[in-house]
Amino acid sequence: MGAVLSIPDATIVSAGIGTIAHDLGSPLTAVQWVSSAYLLAASLTIPLSGWLTDRFGGKAVWLRAVALFTAGTLLWGFARSAPARSSSSAPSTASAAI
């Protein structure tokens, strides 16, 4: 179930990048950092997921990942600038990769 959370998140970011740039009044190059932050967070977190599960237990890690994903997604939804969107996409991505 947890891995499924990253699929709609990635799709929303990819499909909406032009709209996000327009709504924030930012150039497309600035908003593309949202996708870059997403990919960076996912690639750094995936190798850690096995270690975290071994150390803290699967249920504890999964519950914290879902909570972090929810909080990160809410922050992303309320962000009003391109840098805020880029930085707030990392927590939801990192937790979705777990």
Side-chain angles (χ1 to χ4, degrees):
M1 174 73 179
V4 175
L5 294 175
S6 63
I7 296 168
D9 198 33
T11 304
I12 290 167
V13 170
S14 297
I17 202 87
T19 304
I20 293 168
H22 180 266
D23 289 349
L24 295 176
S26 299
L28 188 59
T29 54
V31 179
Q32 286 176 334
W33 280 103
V34 173
S35 295
S36 298
Y38 185 90
L39 292 172
L40 181 63
S43 64
L44 293 175
T45 308
I46 289 171
L48 292 175
S49 63
W51 179 81
L52 289 169
T53 301
D54 289 342
R55 178 151 174 116
F56 301 109
K59 183 178 180 180
V61 170
W62 189 80
L63 288 173
R64 285 183 176 91
V66 170
L68 184 61
F69 177 82
T70 303
T73 302
L74 285 172
L75 286 173
W76 192 87
F78 289 116
R80 296 291 171 223
S81 67
R85 289 257 165 120
S86 296
S87 61
S88 63
S89 71
S92 61
T93 303
S95 60
I98 294 173

